[in-house]
Amino acid sequence: MPHQNFTSCIAACYDCAEACNHCAASCLQEQDVRMMARCVALDIDCAQICELAAAVMSRASENSKTVCSACAEICQVCGDECAKHSMDHCQACAQACRRCADECRKMAAMA
Amino acid sequence: MPHQNFTSCIAACYDCAEACNHCAASCLQEQDVRMMARCVALDIDCAQICELAAAVMSRASENSKTVCSACAEICQVCGDECAKHSMDHCQACAQACRRCADECRKMAAMA
Amino acid sequence: MPHQNFTSCIAACYDCAEACNHCAASCLQEQDVRMMARCVALDIDCAQICELAAAVMSRASENSKTVCSACAEICQVCGDECAKHSMDHCQACAQACRRCADECRKMAAMA
Amino acid sequence: MPHQNFTSCIAACYDCAEACNHCAASCLQEQDVRMMARCVALDIDCAQICELAAAVMSRASENSKTVCSACAEICQVCGDECAKHSMDHCQACAQACRRCADECRKMAAMA
């Protein structure tokens, strides 16, 4: 599959990685960090798998399906956690995670 | 699951990442690089997912199963390609990939 | 420094990572892969440091200056190599590398 | 420089990455997470640059000096923060960071 076909999924992965990294750092600045501990942990995992998914797709790798499939799962878990918290960084991250999960699921089905 | 339980799988992942990165760079120095092109591409993917698997396990992450499962698949594909080439770096990499695939499969089954 | 200030540099890093990963994979498909070996190796390094720079800036990390400074150097080296090759993927990558090097240098000076 | 010369620095980087990832996750489980917020943030940066340093050295990359130099700085900052906290995971991480900073400084001077 040519690299061009991956464009929209790569963009969703980078958006999600950025939102997750921003959310993790912002959670660590909150008054009640303890309540945000699982959110921080999931954000870091999610940012890292999104970066990897973007990288393998940019290389039009034959492993794209495998990585996107794992990425979709991890985005889903992270998005569900973020959605529970009312802060802007969590709500924005929840949205980015869900969009990325959708894109990665489609990619995993196609690739 | 405590971090300690992951120890042997983390070590296998780091060994595999190192072997894959070394193999990729060595393949690029071979006379007939063209024959090694798929090996280089798979090595890079494999090194990156192994580093991610080691990271999530070191964090005792709830996503460990998901990442180890993907890592096992990618190690298998890379190990099968490396095994086709007689160079020392490819043979050593094939071994590291297979051991890592085994450890990750066990982890994915347990986690 | 707030996360927002990093926006343009983060975008340049993600663009550069994508261009480098695409260039690496495309170089591996060229007839004369051997001529492209250094380009592949530098592309992979550059993609990885760009992803890291984007991550630390997204976290508004106090290490942003250190990472952006290293990223600028590595982008420069990669862009200079890519610029020597006439293929579209190399020329596009050279441009992305140079833009990213500029953005990272500015960031390293400010942060 | 051959890959073999990097062996001890690569091992220090992987040890440090593992210690930092473990420390980050453990800090997030502490009663007073707030006091650990900077430690978590620095641990994540440090784990990521250590993984990158190990990767570039495993590829015997010409960028090894640049990455090891940045890695040494980031390890130093992280080790200094970890050393302030009495928990086992922080003390172990401080040690791993300092050893890695030393190895990376030597590598940066040699490479």
Side-chain angles (χ1 to χ4, degrees), chain B residues 57-109:
Chain B
M57 285 187 282
S58 301
R59 297 194 293 264
S61 164
E62 61 187 273
N63 289 308
S64 296
K65 183 192 167 74
T66 305
V67 178
C68 284
S69 178
C71 190
E73 281 185 60
I74 291 171
C75 284
Q76 188 67 48
V77 175
C78 186
D80 288 351
E81 175 64 26
C82 285
K84 292 178 194 163
H85 307 286
S86 60
M87 292 80 100
D88 283 353
H89 55 80
C90 286
Q91 291 296 313
C93 193
Q95 267 198 311
C97 287
R98 280 155 178 193
R99 196 165 78 78
C100 192
D102 283 345
E103 290 274 357
C104 283
R105 261 188 293 266
K106 269 187 257 173
M107 191 50 57

Side-chain angles (χ1 to χ4, degrees), chain A residues 2-62:
Chain A
H3 165 61
Q4 295 90 304
N5 297 13
F6 293 120
T7 302
S8 134
C9 191
I10 291 170
C13 286
Y14 281 140
D15 280 353
C16 189
E18 188 179 346
C20 284
N21 275 315
H22 176 57
C23 185
S26 303
C27 285
L28 287 170
Q29 304 301 321
E30 294 289 340
Q31 277 295 113
D32 188 356
V33 193
R34 235 190 141 192
M35 194 180 66
M36 310 313 295
R38 185 170 176 256
C39 197
V40 174
L42 294 175
D43 279 339
I44 297 298
D45 286 1
C46 194
Q48 292 188 330
I49 189 95
C50 284
E51 285 158 18
L52 180 56
V56 297
M57 285 186 284
S58 300
R59 297 194 293 264
S61 164
E62 59 186 276

Side-chain angles (χ1 to χ4, degrees), chain C residues 38 41-42 44-46 48-49 52 55-56 59 61-64 66-67 69-71 73-74 77, chain D residues 38 41-42 44-46 48-49 52 55-56 59 61-64 66-67 69-71 73-74 77:
Chain C
R38 186 170 176 257
L42 294 175
I44 297 299
D45 286 2
C46 194
Q48 292 189 328
I49 189 94
L52 180 57
V56 298
R59 296 194 293 263
S61 165
E62 60 186 275
N63 290 308
S64 297
T66 306
V67 178
S69 178
C71 191
E73 282 186 59
I74 292 171
V77 175
Chain D
R38 185 169 177 257
L42 294 175
I44 297 299
D45 285 2
C46 193
Q48 292 188 331
I49 189 95
L52 180 56
V56 297
R59 295 194 294 263
S61 165
E62 60 187 274
N63 290 308
S64 297
T66 306
V67 178
S69 179
C71 191
E73 282 185 60
I74 290 171
V77 175

